[in-house]
Amino acid sequence: MAATNKSFLPQQGAYKQLIVFKLATCIYALTYAFAHRYFSRGDRTIDQMVQAARSGKQNIAEGSVAATTSREMELKLTNVAKASMHELLLDYEDYLMTHNLQQWSLDDPRIRQTRAFCRKHLEETVYQQAVETRSAETVANIAITMLHQFDVLITALIERQKQRFLREGGIKEQMYRARKGERR
């Protein structure tokens, strides 16, 4: 009986250990600094970009915590995080286009270098400092690279969440199994 009670509704919310959450936090820090540096005060794009980055980060956290009682909500919120970051990706691409700046091609050596760097550095301050020392073109391309990395990681997280749902079911199924086990 005790084993059943311990496994019933295990608390979720270990999102701070997820690489995708750490990357989302870095993207948020970079975006906040970028938007406030390269857009004029009062430009609505600042709020839109910062809120999209914030949504990407916050929805991972909220979905992770909600998973205790709702795998469906976890999946929905994780997918909202993915959608928000896609919106942000378009904002960075639009910035480059509207300012006649170059978006690095996939075979550009700077992309490979940035990917490798971002895999090893998941501290917000690194990216905030990059905004201060690099050009708008470079920072926007770093952000785009990070957003592509985020997309790969969030897609894998969504797939793991789907598989866990298929294995364990939702809250009602878990409650039924726990109650049935308790009766034995």
mmCIF file of all heavy atoms in Angstrom, residues 20 22-31 85 89 92 111 114-115 117-119 121-124 126-128 130 139-153:
data_model
loop_
_atom_site.group_PDB
_atom_site.id
_atom_site.type_symbol
_atom_site.label_atom_id
_atom_site.label_comp_id
_atom_site.label_asym_id
_atom_site.label_seq_id
_atom_site.Cartn_x
_atom_site.Cartn_y
_atom_site.Cartn_z
ATOM 1 N N VAL A 20 16.576 22.525 -21.998
ATOM 2 C CA VAL A 20 15.717 23.391 -22.808
ATOM 3 C C VAL A 20 15.251 24.606 -22.003
ATOM 4 O O VAL A 20 15.128 25.702 -22.542
ATOM 5 C CB VAL A 20 14.530 22.604 -23.424
ATOM 6 C CG1 VAL A 20 13.512 22.186 -22.389
ATOM 7 C CG2 VAL A 20 13.880 23.392 -24.551
ATOM 8 N N LYS A 22 16.979 25.979 -19.451
ATOM 9 C CA LYS A 22 18.176 26.816 -19.297
ATOM 10 C C LYS A 22 18.430 27.609 -20.579
ATOM 11 O O LYS A 22 18.764 28.800 -20.526
ATOM 12 C CB LYS A 22 19.386 25.961 -18.943
ATOM 13 C CG LYS A 22 19.303 25.349 -17.556
ATOM 14 C CD LYS A 22 20.476 24.425 -17.291
ATOM 15 C CE LYS A 22 20.342 23.752 -15.940
ATOM 16 N NZ LYS A 22 21.438 22.826 -15.677
ATOM 17 N N LEU A 23 18.278 26.948 -21.719
ATOM 18 C CA LEU A 23 18.457 27.635 -23.004
ATOM 19 C C LEU A 23 17.391 28.718 -23.177
ATOM 20 O O LEU A 23 17.696 29.834 -23.612
ATOM 21 C CB LEU A 23 18.406 26.633 -24.160
ATOM 22 C CG LEU A 23 18.603 27.196 -25.558
ATOM 23 C CD1 LEU A 23 19.953 27.904 -25.691
ATOM 24 C CD2 LEU A 23 18.493 26.071 -26.594
ATOM 25 N N ALA A 24 16.155 28.427 -22.814
ATOM 26 C CA ALA A 24 15.077 29.414 -22.908
ATOM 27 C C ALA A 24 15.381 30.624 -22.025
ATOM 28 O O ALA A 24 15.101 31.767 -22.411
ATOM 29 C CB ALA A 24 13.741 28.787 -22.507
ATOM 30 N N THR A 25 15.964 30.390 -20.873
ATOM 31 C CA THR A 25 16.337 31.482 -19.973
ATOM 32 C C THR A 25 17.411 32.358 -20.611
ATOM 33 O O THR A 25 17.354 33.590 -20.525
ATOM 34 C CB THR A 25 16.798 30.919 -18.616
ATOM 35 O OG1 THR A 25 15.729 30.139 -18.061
ATOM 36 C CG2 THR A 25 17.179 32.013 -17.643
ATOM 37 N N CYS A 26 18.366 31.727 -21.273
ATOM 38 C CA CYS A 26 19.406 32.485 -21.979
ATOM 39 C C CYS A 26 18.824 33.276 -23.145
ATOM 40 O O CYS A 26 19.210 34.426 -23.382
ATOM 41 C CB CYS A 26 20.508 31.545 -22.461
ATOM 42 S SG CYS A 26 21.473 30.805 -21.126
ATOM 43 N N ILE A 27 17.905 32.670 -23.874
ATOM 44 C CA ILE A 27 17.249 33.357 -24.983
ATOM 45 C C ILE A 27 16.478 34.569 -24.464
ATOM 46 O O ILE A 27 16.518 35.641 -25.066
ATOM 47 C CB ILE A 27 16.326 32.394 -25.768
ATOM 48 C CG1 ILE A 27 17.168 31.351 -26.511
ATOM 49 C CG2 ILE A 27 15.406 33.150 -26.726
ATOM 50 C CD1 ILE A 27 16.369 30.176 -27.069
ATOM 51 N N TYR A 28 15.809 34.405 -23.346
ATOM 52 C CA TYR A 28 15.076 35.525 -22.750
ATOM 53 C C TYR A 28 16.037 36.661 -22.378
ATOM 54 O O TYR A 28 15.784 37.824 -22.706
ATOM 55 C CB TYR A 28 14.287 35.060 -21.517
ATOM 56 C CG TYR A 28 13.664 36.193 -20.756
ATOM 57 C CD1 TYR A 28 12.543 36.856 -21.250
ATOM 58 C CD2 TYR A 28 14.205 36.633 -19.554
ATOM 59 C CE1 TYR A 28 11.971 37.918 -20.569
ATOM 60 C CE2 TYR A 28 13.645 37.693 -18.863
ATOM 61 C CZ TYR A 28 12.533 38.327 -19.367
ATOM 62 O OH TYR A 28 11.985 39.389 -18.692
ATOM 63 N N ALA A 29 17.137 36.322 -21.717
ATOM 64 C CA ALA A 29 18.109 37.343 -21.299
ATOM 65 C C ALA A 29 18.695 38.065 -22.512
ATOM 66 O O ALA A 29 18.809 39.295 -22.522
ATOM 67 C CB ALA A 29 19.219 36.695 -20.468
ATOM 68 N N LEU A 30 19.052 37.307 -23.529
ATOM 69 C CA LEU A 30 19.608 37.892 -24.745
ATOM 70 C C LEU A 30 18.577 38.796 -25.428
ATOM 71 O O LEU A 30 18.891 39.916 -25.835
ATOM 72 C CB LEU A 30 20.050 36.788 -25.703
ATOM 73 C CG LEU A 30 20.598 37.278 -27.033
ATOM 74 C CD1 LEU A 30 22.117 37.180 -27.019
ATOM 75 C CD2 LEU A 30 20.041 36.479 -28.177
ATOM 76 N N THR A 31 17.355 38.322 -25.520
ATOM 77 C CA THR A 31 16.296 39.072 -26.186
ATOM 78 C C THR A 31 15.970 40.359 -25.438
ATOM 79 O O THR A 31 15.793 41.418 -26.062
ATOM 80 C CB THR A 31 15.036 38.200 -26.345
ATOM 81 O OG1 THR A 31 15.381 37.063 -27.153
ATOM 82 C CG2 THR A 31 13.896 38.964 -26.988
ATOM 83 N N MET A 85 8.399 30.733 -29.129
ATOM 84 C CA MET A 85 9.773 30.864 -29.609
ATOM 85 C C MET A 85 9.823 30.920 -31.136
ATOM 86 O O MET A 85 10.703 31.564 -31.698
ATOM 87 C CB MET A 85 10.652 29.740 -29.062
ATOM 88 C CG MET A 85 10.855 29.833 -27.555
ATOM 89 S SD MET A 85 11.683 31.347 -27.039
ATOM 90 C CE MET A 85 12.446 30.777 -25.533
ATOM 91 N N LEU A 89 11.565 33.792 -33.273
ATOM 92 C CA LEU A 89 12.464 33.508 -34.395
ATOM 93 C C LEU A 89 12.120 34.398 -35.591
ATOM 94 O O LEU A 89 13.012 34.999 -36.208
ATOM 95 C CB LEU A 89 12.367 32.025 -34.785
ATOM 96 C CG LEU A 89 13.116 31.583 -36.037
ATOM 97 C CD1 LEU A 89 14.620 31.757 -35.884
ATOM 98 C CD2 LEU A 89 12.768 30.132 -36.364
ATOM 99 N N TYR A 92 13.358 37.970 -35.066
ATOM 100 C CA TYR A 92 14.788 38.144 -35.340
ATOM 101 C C TYR A 92 15.077 38.114 -36.842
ATOM 102 O O TYR A 92 15.864 38.916 -37.347
ATOM 103 C CB TYR A 92 15.630 37.083 -34.620
ATOM 104 C CG TYR A 92 15.919 37.426 -33.180
ATOM 105 C CD1 TYR A 92 15.337 36.719 -32.150
ATOM 106 C CD2 TYR A 92 16.792 38.466 -32.843
ATOM 107 C CE1 TYR A 92 15.608 37.029 -30.815
ATOM 108 C CE2 TYR A 92 17.069 38.785 -31.524
ATOM 109 C CZ TYR A 92 16.473 38.063 -30.521
ATOM 110 O OH TYR A 92 16.747 38.377 -29.206
ATOM 111 N N ILE A 111 27.905 29.706 -37.762
ATOM 112 C CA ILE A 111 26.774 28.934 -37.212
ATOM 113 C C ILE A 111 27.313 27.750 -36.420
ATOM 114 O O ILE A 111 26.878 27.498 -35.300
ATOM 115 C CB ILE A 111 25.837 28.431 -38.339
ATOM 116 C CG1 ILE A 111 25.086 29.591 -38.963
ATOM 117 C CG2 ILE A 111 24.884 27.367 -37.812
ATOM 118 C CD1 ILE A 111 23.748 29.922 -38.372
ATOM 119 N N THR A 114 28.834 29.002 -33.248
ATOM 120 C CA THR A 114 27.795 29.453 -32.310
ATOM 121 C C THR A 114 27.082 28.266 -31.689
ATOM 122 O O THR A 114 26.828 28.244 -30.479
ATOM 123 C CB THR A 114 26.796 30.383 -33.020
ATOM 124 O OG1 THR A 114 27.515 31.503 -33.555
ATOM 125 C CG2 THR A 114 25.724 30.876 -32.075
ATOM 126 N N ARG A 115 26.750 27.264 -32.486
ATOM 127 C CA ARG A 115 26.097 26.057 -31.947
ATOM 128 C C ARG A 115 26.942 25.424 -30.855
ATOM 129 O O ARG A 115 26.439 25.084 -29.782
ATOM 130 C CB ARG A 115 25.868 25.027 -33.061
ATOM 131 C CG ARG A 115 24.692 25.283 -33.916
ATOM 132 C CD ARG A 115 24.479 24.081 -34.835
ATOM 133 N NE ARG A 115 23.687 24.471 -35.963
ATOM 134 C CZ ARG A 115 23.969 24.195 -37.235
ATOM 135 N NH1 ARG A 115 25.051 23.523 -37.550
ATOM 136 N NH2 ARG A 115 23.174 24.589 -38.192
ATOM 137 N N PHE A 117 29.332 26.769 -29.072
ATOM 138 C CA PHE A 117 29.433 27.666 -27.919
ATOM 139 C C PHE A 117 28.166 27.587 -27.061
ATOM 140 O O PHE A 117 28.238 27.473 -25.834
ATOM 141 C CB PHE A 117 29.668 29.112 -28.389
ATOM 142 C CG PHE A 117 29.808 30.081 -27.254
ATOM 143 C CD1 PHE A 117 31.046 30.302 -26.669
ATOM 144 C CD2 PHE A 117 28.703 30.770 -26.761
ATOM 145 C CE1 PHE A 117 31.182 31.192 -25.614
ATOM 146 C CE2 PHE A 117 28.831 31.662 -25.709
ATOM 147 C CZ PHE A 117 30.077 31.871 -25.137
ATOM 148 N N CYS A 118 27.020 27.647 -27.709
ATOM 149 C CA CYS A 118 25.742 27.668 -26.974
ATOM 150 C C CYS A 118 25.468 26.347 -26.260
ATOM 151 O O CYS A 118 24.803 26.345 -25.217
ATOM 152 C CB CYS A 118 24.590 28.007 -27.919
ATOM 153 S SG CYS A 118 24.669 29.701 -28.555
ATOM 154 N N ARG A 119 25.956 25.247 -26.797
ATOM 155 C CA ARG A 119 25.784 23.959 -26.117
ATOM 156 C C ARG A 119 26.524 23.936 -24.789
ATOM 157 O O ARG A 119 26.104 23.275 -23.848
ATOM 158 C CB ARG A 119 26.272 22.813 -26.997
ATOM 159 C CG ARG A 119 25.230 22.299 -27.971
ATOM 160 C CD ARG A 119 25.634 20.979 -28.583
ATOM 161 N NE ARG A 119 26.807 21.088 -29.436
ATOM 162 C CZ ARG A 119 26.782 21.365 -30.736
ATOM 163 N NH1 ARG A 119 25.648 21.566 -31.344
ATOM 164 N NH2 ARG A 119 27.897 21.418 -31.422
ATOM 165 N N HIS A 121 27.525 26.815 -22.976
ATOM 166 C CA HIS A 121 27.310 27.997 -22.137
ATOM 167 C C HIS A 121 25.826 28.280 -21.950
ATOM 168 O O HIS A 121 25.172 28.768 -22.868
ATOM 169 C CB HIS A 121 28.025 29.210 -22.738
ATOM 170 C CG HIS A 121 29.494 29.036 -22.805
ATOM 171 N ND1 HIS A 121 30.123 28.462 -23.886
ATOM 172 C CD2 HIS A 121 30.469 29.326 -21.904
ATOM 173 C CE1 HIS A 121 31.422 28.420 -23.664
ATOM 174 N NE2 HIS A 121 31.660 28.920 -22.463
ATOM 175 N N LEU A 122 25.342 27.975 -20.778
ATOM 176 C CA LEU A 122 23.928 28.180 -20.476
ATOM 177 C C LEU A 122 23.760 29.126 -19.281
ATOM 178 O O LEU A 122 22.963 28.893 -18.383
ATOM 179 C CB LEU A 122 23.246 26.834 -20.211
ATOM 180 C CG LEU A 122 23.149 25.913 -21.432
ATOM 181 C CD1 LEU A 122 22.653 24.532 -21.053
ATOM 182 C CD2 LEU A 122 22.260 26.531 -22.500
ATOM 183 N N GLU A 123 24.540 30.202 -19.302
ATOM 184 C CA GLU A 123 24.435 31.232 -18.273
ATOM 185 C C GLU A 123 23.951 32.511 -18.951
ATOM 186 O O GLU A 123 24.529 32.946 -19.941
ATOM 187 C CB GLU A 123 25.788 31.511 -17.607
ATOM 188 C CG GLU A 123 26.529 30.280 -17.105
ATOM 189 C CD GLU A 123 27.352 29.574 -18.186
ATOM 190 O OE1 GLU A 123 27.808 30.225 -19.146
ATOM 191 O OE2 GLU A 123 27.507 28.351 -18.078
ATOM 192 N N GLU A 124 22.928 33.112 -18.378
ATOM 193 C CA GLU A 124 22.320 34.296 -18.989
ATOM 194 C C GLU A 124 23.307 35.435 -19.202
ATOM 195 O O GLU A 124 23.242 36.148 -20.205
ATOM 196 C CB GLU A 124 21.172 34.840 -18.124
ATOM 197 C CG GLU A 124 20.087 33.857 -17.792
ATOM 198 C CD GLU A 124 20.268 33.217 -16.433
ATOM 199 O OE1 GLU A 124 20.947 32.177 -16.380
ATOM 200 O OE2 GLU A 124 19.728 33.728 -15.441
ATOM 201 N N VAL A 126 26.334 35.546 -20.010
ATOM 202 C CA VAL A 126 27.166 35.398 -21.217
ATOM 203 C C VAL A 126 26.477 36.068 -22.401
ATOM 204 O O VAL A 126 27.109 36.780 -23.180
ATOM 205 C CB VAL A 126 27.434 33.901 -21.515
ATOM 206 C CG1 VAL A 126 28.063 33.705 -22.882
ATOM 207 C CG2 VAL A 126 28.287 33.277 -20.427
ATOM 208 N N TYR A 127 25.190 35.873 -22.512
ATOM 209 C CA TYR A 127 24.438 36.388 -23.656
ATOM 210 C C TYR A 127 24.091 37.864 -23.488
ATOM 211 O O TYR A 127 24.054 38.606 -24.466
ATOM 212 C CB TYR A 127 23.213 35.504 -23.907
ATOM 213 C CG TYR A 127 23.665 34.096 -24.202
ATOM 214 C CD1 TYR A 127 23.673 33.123 -23.213
ATOM 215 C CD2 TYR A 127 24.187 33.767 -25.445
ATOM 216 C CE1 TYR A 127 24.153 31.839 -23.470
ATOM 217 C CE2 TYR A 127 24.658 32.494 -25.718
ATOM 218 C CZ TYR A 127 24.643 31.534 -24.726
ATOM 219 O OH TYR A 127 25.134 30.281 -24.985
ATOM 220 N N GLN A 128 23.856 38.275 -22.258
ATOM 221 C CA GLN A 128 23.627 39.704 -22.015
ATOM 222 C C GLN A 128 24.881 40.494 -22.392
ATOM 223 O O GLN A 128 24.789 41.565 -22.988
ATOM 224 C CB GLN A 128 23.277 39.945 -20.540
ATOM 225 C CG GLN A 128 21.908 39.425 -20.173
ATOM 226 C CD GLN A 128 21.693 39.370 -18.678
ATOM 227 O OE1 GLN A 128 22.603 39.075 -17.909
ATOM 228 N NE2 GLN A 128 20.478 39.657 -18.256
ATOM 229 N N ALA A 130 27.104 39.592 -24.590
ATOM 230 C CA ALA A 130 27.279 39.528 -26.045
ATOM 231 C C ALA A 130 26.579 40.707 -26.725
ATOM 232 O O ALA A 130 27.089 41.253 -27.703
ATOM 233 C CB ALA A 130 26.745 38.210 -26.594
ATOM 234 N N VAL A 139 24.405 39.413 -33.011
ATOM 235 C CA VAL A 139 23.532 39.011 -31.900
ATOM 236 C C VAL A 139 22.238 38.385 -32.425
ATOM 237 O O VAL A 139 21.783 37.370 -31.907
ATOM 238 C CB VAL A 139 23.232 40.196 -30.961
ATOM 239 C CG1 VAL A 139 22.239 39.793 -29.878
ATOM 240 C CG2 VAL A 139 24.519 40.703 -30.319
ATOM 241 N N ALA A 140 21.655 38.969 -33.446
ATOM 242 C CA ALA A 140 20.433 38.404 -34.023
ATOM 243 C C ALA A 140 20.697 37.003 -34.570
ATOM 244 O O ALA A 140 19.882 36.090 -34.387
ATOM 245 C CB ALA A 140 19.882 39.311 -35.122
ATOM 246 N N ASN A 141 21.836 36.793 -35.195
ATOM 247 C CA ASN A 141 22.179 35.466 -35.708
ATOM 248 C C ASN A 141 22.468 34.476 -34.585
ATOM 249 O O ASN A 141 22.138 33.291 -34.700
ATOM 250 C CB ASN A 141 23.352 35.557 -36.683
ATOM 251 C CG ASN A 141 22.895 35.933 -38.071
ATOM 252 O OD1 ASN A 141 22.257 35.144 -38.766
ATOM 253 N ND2 ASN A 141 23.185 37.167 -38.484
ATOM 254 N N ILE A 142 23.060 34.940 -33.508
ATOM 255 C CA ILE A 142 23.256 34.075 -32.333
ATOM 256 C C ILE A 142 21.885 33.652 -31.799
ATOM 257 O O ILE A 142 21.657 32.474 -31.508
ATOM 258 C CB ILE A 142 24.086 34.797 -31.247
ATOM 259 C CG1 ILE A 142 25.532 34.949 -31.698
ATOM 260 C CG2 ILE A 142 24.010 34.043 -29.912
ATOM 261 C CD1 ILE A 142 26.378 35.863 -30.814
ATOM 262 N N ALA A 143 20.981 34.620 -31.690
ATOM 263 C CA ALA A 143 19.636 34.314 -31.197
ATOM 264 C C ALA A 143 18.931 33.315 -32.113
ATOM 265 O O ALA A 143 18.297 32.368 -31.629
ATOM 266 C CB ALA A 143 18.820 35.593 -31.078
ATOM 267 N N ILE A 144 19.040 33.502 -33.396
ATOM 268 C CA ILE A 144 18.411 32.582 -34.351
ATOM 269 C C ILE A 144 18.977 31.178 -34.184
ATOM 270 O O ILE A 144 18.230 30.193 -34.166
ATOM 271 C CB ILE A 144 18.580 33.108 -35.799
ATOM 272 C CG1 ILE A 144 17.689 34.330 -36.004
ATOM 273 C CG2 ILE A 144 18.275 32.015 -36.826
ATOM 274 C CD1 ILE A 144 17.974 35.112 -37.288
ATOM 275 N N THR A 145 20.275 31.083 -34.017
ATOM 276 C CA THR A 145 20.911 29.776 -33.804
ATOM 277 C C THR A 145 20.390 29.138 -32.523
ATOM 278 O O THR A 145 20.052 27.946 -32.495
ATOM 279 C CB THR A 145 22.445 29.935 -33.755
ATOM 280 O OG1 THR A 145 22.885 30.535 -34.977
ATOM 281 C CG2 THR A 145 23.132 28.598 -33.556
ATOM 282 N N MET A 146 20.318 29.929 -31.458
ATOM 283 C CA MET A 146 19.814 29.414 -30.187
ATOM 284 C C MET A 146 18.354 28.970 -30.312
ATOM 285 O O MET A 146 17.954 27.949 -29.736
ATOM 286 C CB MET A 146 19.945 30.488 -29.103
ATOM 287 C CG MET A 146 21.368 30.812 -28.742
ATOM 288 S SD MET A 146 21.494 32.263 -27.662
ATOM 289 C CE MET A 146 20.974 31.554 -26.092
ATOM 290 N N LEU A 147 17.569 29.719 -31.066
ATOM 291 C CA LEU A 147 16.163 29.369 -31.236
ATOM 292 C C LEU A 147 15.999 28.068 -32.019
ATOM 293 O O LEU A 147 15.089 27.284 -31.739
ATOM 294 C CB LEU A 147 15.406 30.522 -31.897
ATOM 295 C CG LEU A 147 15.156 31.692 -30.940
ATOM 296 C CD1 LEU A 147 14.915 32.987 -31.705
ATOM 297 C CD2 LEU A 147 14.007 31.375 -29.988
ATOM 298 N N HIS A 148 16.883 27.822 -32.966
ATOM 299 C CA HIS A 148 16.845 26.532 -33.676
ATOM 300 C C HIS A 148 17.237 25.399 -32.733
ATOM 301 O O HIS A 148 16.630 24.317 -32.771
ATOM 302 C CB HIS A 148 17.744 26.562 -34.912
ATOM 303 C CG HIS A 148 17.147 27.337 -36.047
ATOM 304 N ND1 HIS A 148 16.001 26.959 -36.702
ATOM 305 C CD2 HIS A 148 17.544 28.493 -36.641
ATOM 306 C CE1 HIS A 148 15.714 27.835 -37.647
ATOM 307 N NE2 HIS A 148 16.629 28.787 -37.628
ATOM 308 N N GLN A 149 18.222 25.634 -31.878
ATOM 309 C CA GLN A 149 18.592 24.626 -30.884
ATOM 310 C C GLN A 149 17.420 24.376 -29.929
ATOM 311 O O GLN A 149 17.118 23.228 -29.584
ATOM 312 C CB GLN A 149 19.829 25.065 -30.094
ATOM 313 C CG GLN A 149 21.109 25.016 -30.904
ATOM 314 C CD GLN A 149 22.296 25.550 -30.114
ATOM 315 O OE1 GLN A 149 22.218 26.589 -29.468
ATOM 316 N NE2 GLN A 149 23.401 24.822 -30.187
ATOM 317 N N PHE A 150 16.789 25.457 -29.508
ATOM 318 C CA PHE A 150 15.619 25.346 -28.631
ATOM 319 C C PHE A 150 14.548 24.483 -29.292
ATOM 320 O O PHE A 150 13.953 23.618 -28.646
ATOM 321 C CB PHE A 150 15.053 26.739 -28.320
ATOM 322 C CG PHE A 150 13.789 26.694 -27.509
ATOM 323 C CD1 PHE A 150 13.834 26.669 -26.133
ATOM 324 C CD2 PHE A 150 12.545 26.670 -28.141
ATOM 325 C CE1 PHE A 150 12.661 26.617 -25.378
ATOM 326 C CE2 PHE A 150 11.374 26.618 -27.399
ATOM 327 C CZ PHE A 150 11.440 26.593 -26.022
ATOM 328 N N ASP A 151 14.293 24.713 -30.571
ATOM 329 C CA ASP A 151 13.245 23.972 -31.270
ATOM 330 C C ASP A 151 13.524 22.472 -31.273
ATOM 331 O O ASP A 151 12.616 21.670 -31.064
ATOM 332 C CB ASP A 151 13.087 24.500 -32.699
ATOM 333 C CG ASP A 151 11.846 23.942 -33.354
ATOM 334 O OD1 ASP A 151 10.738 24.155 -32.804
ATOM 335 O OD2 ASP A 151 11.977 23.268 -34.401
ATOM 336 N N VAL A 152 14.763 22.106 -31.484
ATOM 337 C CA VAL A 152 15.128 20.677 -31.461
ATOM 338 C C VAL A 152 14.869 20.097 -30.066
ATOM 339 O O VAL A 152 14.279 19.020 -29.924
ATOM 340 C CB VAL A 152 16.604 20.484 -31.877
ATOM 341 C CG1 VAL A 152 17.076 19.064 -31.603
ATOM 342 C CG2 VAL A 152 16.786 20.830 -33.356
ATOM 343 N N LEU A 153 15.302 20.824 -29.043
ATOM 344 C CA LEU A 153 15.139 20.343 -27.668
ATOM 345 C C LEU A 153 13.673 20.305 -27.231
ATOM 346 O O LEU A 153 13.240 19.343 -26.584
ATOM 347 C CB LEU A 153 15.946 21.218 -26.710
ATOM 348 C CG LEU A 153 17.465 21.135 -26.848
ATOM 349 C CD1 LEU A 153 18.142 22.210 -26.005
ATOM 350 C CD2 LEU A 153 17.961 19.749 -26.473
#
